[in-house]
Amino acid sequence: MSLVVYNTLSREKELFVPIDAGHVRLYVCGPTVYDYVHIGNARPVVAFDVLYRLLKRRYRQVTYVRNITDIDDRIMVRAADNRETIDALTNRTASAYQSDMGRLGALTPDFEPRATQYVGEMVAMIGRLVDKGHAYVAEGHVLFSVPSMADYGRLSRRTRDELVAGARVEVTPYKKDPADFVLWKPSTDQQPGWPSPWGRGRPGWHIECSAMSAKHLGETFDIHAGGLDLIFPHHENEIAQSRSAFGHALMAKYWMHNGFLNISGEKMSKSLGNFFTVHELLEQYPGEAIRLLLLSAHYRQPLDFTHEGLVQAKATLDRWYGALRGRDATPAASVPQAVEEALSDDLNTPLAISAVHQLGDPAALRAGGNALGLLQQDAEAWFRWMPAGAGGPTDAEIEAAIAARQAARKARDFRESDRIRDDLKAKGVLLEDGAKGTTWKRG
Ligand code: AMP
Ligand code: ZN
C-alpha cells in the first residue's frame, strides 16, 4: 500500500518515496525544556509517532530523531528564578518530558539528541557557512546572510516584506540585512558558553536542528516535521543553513506540519497562559485517553481541547477494552486493511478510528489499535486505572477483599460476601463474576 503525505514544501499531497528505501529517516523538532510541556506540544509527538509506527511496518530500517533544546534564554531565566543550575533544570524537565510522552504511548525515538552535546558540530557548521560567504561576523555574533541564498523563503512562501516583518527584528545595528538571523551569540561570564573562533558564546536555536539532524540522519533526509508555527522562521532557517552549508537542493524531501491544539478557538501556548500541562492531565485522565483525543482530528486540522473531549475519549476506550476483556490478547498479524488505508492517506487518524469502531474481532481490534498506538495494555489494567489522589482502596486492598469474598462464598456466608461486594461498589469498584473467576474495575 502506498503512503501519501502532505508536503508543506509543495503544498500538495505527494506519494512518499524514500531517498533510500533501505533506510527511512525522520526528524521531529522537540521541546525547549524549562518546564512541563503543555498538551499542544504533545500533538506533534503523538501524530508523528503514528507516522513512525507506519514507517516501521513498511521499511526495513527507520531512524527517528526527536531533539531536546536544552540551551535557550528562557531556560537561563527560569533556572535563575528557581535558584537551580541550568543542568538541574534541564535534566529534570527533559526526564519529565520523556516519561510523559511515554505515558501517551509514544515510542522512544532512535535518538533524542540534546543540543548542548552537539555544540562542536554547530561551530563546525557555522564555520563552513562563514567560509562559503553565507554568514558573517559582527560584534561577537555570527549571522546568516539571507540575501546570500537565492530561494530563501521557499518553504514559508513569504514575500520579502513579510520575511522582514516576521524576523522579529530587535534593535540590532550589526545586521547587514534585517532578515539576517543569528547563528552564534556571545555569552557573558555568567551565561553558559562554549569556546568558538568568534569568542565564547552559544548557538542560536535554528542551527541546533541543522547540526543534530545532519549528525544522525545525514545532509539530506526524508521527513522533517513539527508544528505549524515552526514553518517560519525555524524551518525556513534550518533549510537555509543546511542547504547553504552542504550545497544540496534539499534539506528534507518532505516537510510535515501539524495544526494547533486550541482552547476556545485560540492556540494553546505558554505565553497566553491558556494551557494544561500533560503532567497535570495525566493525574486526571489515562494517557491513552489523551492520546485518543489528540488523534481524533486529522493532524493538519485545528483541534479544540476540552475536558469533555477527554471524558469522551475515555468512554470510547472503555468500550473497546470492554470488548477485549477476557478475550485473547494477541493482536492479529497485520493491521486491518481499512485502518492501514486511512493512515496511508496522509495519516487520516479520524478515519482510522472510525474503522477501528467497526472491528468486532478482538485480534483485529488489538492490531487496529496498535497502529494508532492504542489498545496495547491488558484490558484488566485499563479498568484498574484511577485518577491521582482519588483515594479509595488500592489494587492490593481490592484483591484482598475479593479473596475474602471468595472465602465467604465458599463457606456459604452469602450475607458476608454480598456485604463485601456492596462495600466495594460504594467505593467505586465493580466486581464481575465470570467463568475464569472474579474481575473488577473502577467505575
Ligand atoms: P516549542 O517548545 O514551543 O518549540 O514547541 C514544541 C513543539 O510543539 C513544536 O513542534 C511546536 O510547533 C508544537 N506546538 C506548540 N504549541 C502547539 C499547539 N498549541 N498545538 C500544536 N502544536 C504546538
Ligand atoms: Zn527544529
Side-chain angles (χ1 to χ4, degrees):
M1 201 178 298
S2 51
L3 168 65
V4 166
V5 296
Y6 181 87
N7 188 353
T8 305
L9 209 48
S10 63
R11 302 290 194 276
E12 278 172 15
K13 277 193 191 177
E14 292 178 23
L15 186 66
F16 176 72
V17 183
I19 297 167
D20 170 3
H23 185 190
V24 174
R25 293 157 293 159
L26 165 68
Y27 187 95
V28 175
C29 293
T32 302
V33 285
Y34 62 97
D35 206 339
Y36 292 123
V37 298
H38 62 66
I39 180 184
N41 300 129
R43 193 172 187 196
V45 174
V46 168
F48 300 118
D49 177 72
V50 172
L51 176 64
Y52 179 44
R53 288 168 186 269
L54 184 148
L55 293 170
K56 278 163 81 83
R57 286 197 294 283
R58 307 272 172 95
Y59 296 95
R60 202 158 8 103
Q61 193 192 351
V62 181
T63 302
Y64 174 24
V65 179
R66 189 180 67 205
N67 72 291
I68 287 175
T69 294
D70 62 351
I71 172 81
D72 181 88
D73 289 2
R74 283 171 294 176
I75 293 175
M76 286 156 46
V77 170
R78 182 61 66 89
D81 285 353
N82 290 359
R83 293 173 199 282
E84 64 184 328
T85 63
I86 286 177
D87 277 356
L89 173 67
T90 57
N91 286 336
R92 187 164 56 73
T93 49
S95 342
Y97 170 76
Q98 287 163 328
S99 131
D100 290 347
M101 295 308 109
R103 288 176 68 191
L104 297 186
L107 299 175
T108 306
D110 300 286
F111 296 99
E112 287 186 276
R114 291 177 61 145
T116 51
Q117 281 153 26
Y118 296 79
V119 176
E121 282 82 355
M122 296 173 209
V123 167
M125 199 165 172
I126 297 169
R128 231 165 137 147
L129 289 167
V130 173
D131 291 346
K132 293 176 110 181
H134 287 291
Y136 59 94
V137 184
E139 295 180 27
H141 292 70
V142 185
L143 291 125
F144 185 89
S145 165
V146 166
S148 77
M149 190 190 185
D151 56 352
Y152 180 87
R154 193 175 138 203
L155 179 75
S156 59
R157 300 192 178 179
R158 294 198 171 207
T159 63
R160 164 86 200 161
D161 284 352
E162 289 168 335
L163 284 174
V164 170
R168 273 190 267 152
V169 195
E170 307 144 41
V171 186
T172 41
Y174 48 81
K175 280 190 187 178
K176 289 188 188 163
D177 185 285
D180 293 349
F181 58 89
V182 170
L183 300 170
W184 186 261
K185 54 190 157 194
S187 293
T188 63
D189 289 346
Q190 287 73 42
Q191 292 171 327
W194 290 261
S196 86
W198 319 287
R200 186 174 171 278
R202 58 192 192 281
W205 173 35
H206 317 304
I207 197 72
E208 298 176 6
C209 288
S210 284
M212 290 185 282
S213 62
K215 175 81 179 179
H216 289 292
L217 300 177
E219 297 176 359
T220 300
F221 52 94
D222 297 295
I223 304 174
H224 194 131
L228 212 54
D229 52 341
L230 298 188
I231 296 176
F232 185 84
H234 186 54
H235 288 166
E236 197 71 79
N237 292 350
E238 282 189 39
I239 291 173
Q241 298 161 159
S242 295
R243 286 185 47 204
S244 303
F246 303 127
H248 302 300
L250 288 171
M251 176 191 187
K253 196 171 171 191
Y254 305 92
W255 288 80
M256 296 175 72
H257 294 98
N258 63 275
F260 293 138
L261 183 87
N262 293 330
I263 190 154
S264 311
E266 228 178 351
K267 181 192 174 193
M268 184 181 282
S269 77
K270 288 262 168 75
S271 51
L272 290 172
N274 59 348
F275 63 91
F276 289 96
T277 65
V278 174
H279 206 75
E280 66 187 321
L281 289 171
L282 280 169
E283 300 200 327
Q284 301 168 56
Y285 303 95
E288 215 174 326
I290 300 174
R291 183 180 178 98
L292 178 57
L293 175 78
L294 289 171
L295 295 175
S296 64
H298 186 264
Y299 78 95
R300 286 194 285 121
Q301 297 303 316
L303 168 59
D304 218 50
F305 171 83
T306 59
H307 282 279
E308 297 81 82
L310 283 174
V311 170
Q312 260 176 38
K314 181 170 181 297
T316 299
L317 287 159
D318 279 339
R319 211 159 55 241
W320 286 342
Y321 275 115
L324 292 173
R325 256 189 141 185
R327 318 271 284 275
D328 186 4
T330 315
S334 63
V335 174
Q337 171 95 357
V339 175
E340 195 71 69
E341 263 173 21
L343 296 178
S344 300
D345 181 10
D346 194 31
L347 307 179
N348 191 339
T349 55
L351 191 61
I353 290 167
S354 65
V356 171
H357 276 293
Q358 310 300 316
L359 301 169
D361 173 58
L365 193 56
R366 285 262 185 213
N370 283 358
L372 293 161
L374 299 168
L375 303 180
Q376 297 173 94
Q377 54 178 309
D378 180 56
E380 296 309 324
W382 166 261
F383 286 111
R384 280 174 198 161
W385 177 87
M386 66 172 166
T394 63
D395 289 7
E397 285 162 354
I398 296 167
E399 302 289 354
I402 290 172
R405 175 170 169 263
Q406 265 336 98
R409 276 160 51 133
K410 217 168 165 187
R412 308 193 67 76
D413 182 353
F414 296 114
R415 259 230 332 245
E416 174 63 1
S417 68
D418 285 353
R419 189 197 62 76
I420 293 171
R421 189 196 57 212
D422 295 345
D423 177 56
L424 284 172
K425 192 172 171 194
K427 291 171 178 160
V429 179
L430 302 177
L431 302 190
E432 279 167 31
D433 295 316
K436 290 178 192 158
T438 304
T439 58
W440 59 272
K441 63 182 182 185
R442 292 193 170 92

